[in-house]
Amino acid sequence: MTQAPVVDSDLVERVAGILRDAAAEHLLPRFSGGGAPARLKSCGGLVTEADNAMQDAIGGALAESYPEVGFLGEEMEPDEHRRALESADCGLWCLDPLDGTSNFAVGIPIFGISVALLVRGAPVLGVVLDPVRDELFTAVRGGGAFLNGEPITVRDTGPLERAVGCIDFKRLSRDVARGLAASQPFHSQRNFGSSVLEWCWLACGRVDFYLHGGQNLWDFAAGSLIAAEAGADVATMDGEPLFEGDILRRSILAVAEGNLRAELAPYLCPDEGPGQR
């Protein structure tokens, strides 16, 4: 039986090279004018020519180098996502070819490219590229997390009242969002519009927690591994492991220190509202 690729530094470098080459050819030239035409997808998100070009280029390069490994990309149809996940006998590449499409489309330079290698339904390798700032975040399961080859760790945070968090209020239930906005138990909050970068900014200490009511697999597959390898406590909002059950969509609460999960819990009410799981 054919095996998944050996996960080591050579694989990280090869995948990183594929992302850099695709960004240089298909992404950054389209952004040089400060924006790009976009259309609305059936799911409500935006898509540009760059999203599809990036998926074709990266998916093609991965298939050429690792033909035995399955592939799941954001711009595939939902039934294709499910089939890819269920038939990944020798591993599965999970790609977000352009995360932050809304930013990209209007000229905001905050977007990233993310690819993870999943084996038996969990990530063993994660690579996220921020092409604007030339920041490459990487992790191999059990090997730590890195930014441009240098080790990174989460920040020593302290209590919630001193913490800075990434919160996507739009994806939270109305009651939870209103409660958090009204009480503001944290020092400050941000939302940058690119999930894959927000995961990595938690990993390198730029924020202290990350709260999101519902992400797709390609949004968290690589970033959650990078954050976990940097020392973050990574789970759903109600404390369940991300990679158990139906992993195609999960809520997110990732924290630099476990006390932040406990301090945030009273504000979240994870069993209230359909957007929490």
Side-chain angles (χ1 to χ4, degrees):
M1 178 178 174
T2 306
Q3 300 295 314
V6 174
V7 181
D8 56 15
S9 59
D10 289 339
L11 182 61
V12 172
E13 290 181 10
R14 288 196 294 270
V15 172
I18 289 171
L19 299 193
R20 288 189 187 279
D21 289 347
E25 182 173 356
H26 301 288
L27 189 59
L28 292 177
R30 287 180 166 91
F31 187 70
S32 60
R39 62 176 177 82
L40 198 64
K41 297 191 289 187
S42 59
C43 66
L46 293 181
V47 65
T48 69
E49 289 183 355
D51 294 78
N52 292 315
M54 289 290 287
Q55 180 158 303
D56 290 346
I58 296 170
L62 291 172
E64 182 177 355
S65 297
Y66 310 101
E68 71 281 6
V69 181
F71 178 78
L72 186 158
E74 177 182 4
E75 304 310 327
M76 295 163 59
E77 294 298 321
D79 59 337
E80 294 178 296
H81 294 150
R82 182 72 61 183
R83 287 199 301 269
L85 193 60
E86 292 174 349
S87 62
D89 295 332
C90 298
L92 180 72
W93 296 114
C94 183
L95 172 70
D96 194 331
L98 172 53
D99 184 62
T101 300
S102 295
N103 287 344
F104 181 85
V106 298
I108 297 173
I110 302 177
F111 49 85
I113 313 151
S114 171
V115 66
L117 176 62
L118 276 60
V119 175
R120 292 183 290 277
V124 296
L125 175 147
V127 180
V128 173
L129 175 65
D130 178 344
V132 173
R133 278 156 284 278
D134 192 26
E135 292 189 332
L136 181 75
F137 297 88
T138 61
V140 169
R141 186 194 292 171
F146 299 86
L147 166 54
N148 290 342
E150 296 297 323
I152 54 175
T153 62
V154 295
R155 185 165 61 177
D156 184 8
T157 301
L160 180 60
E161 65 185 12
R162 295 209 301 265
V164 176
C166 273
I167 305 177
D168 191 324
F169 281 100
K170 181 180 178 181
R171 299 300 193 276
L172 297 173
S173 72
R174 183 174 298 177
D175 288 344
V176 170
R178 284 176 172 173
L180 278 171
S183 57
Q184 298 185 32
F186 38 77
H187 173 69
S188 186
Q189 66 82 27
R190 301 288 186 268
N191 178 218
F192 297 99
S194 175
S195 298
V196 303
L197 294 186
E198 290 168 332
W199 275 109
C200 295
W201 293 351
L202 170 65
C204 69
R206 295 174 186 170
V207 298
D208 303 307
F209 68 89
Y210 186 30
L211 177 62
H212 198 292
Q215 285 190 354
N216 295 309
L217 176 60
W218 47 86
D219 296 315
F220 65 81
S224 65
L225 177 65
I226 293 168
E229 288 294 327
D233 172 2
V234 174
T236 66
M237 287 175 61
D238 50 2
E240 296 179 351
L242 288 187
F243 294 93
E244 290 186 6
D246 186 353
I247 66 173
L248 278 173
R249 189 165 177 83
R250 302 293 267 163
S251 70
I252 303 295
L253 177 55
V255 297
E257 295 182 354
N259 65 287
L260 297 180
R261 182 177 298 277
E263 290 186 72
L264 282 164
Y267 301 93
L268 302 184
C269 303
D271 293 326
E272 182 177 331
Q276 301 306 298
R277 298 182 184 273

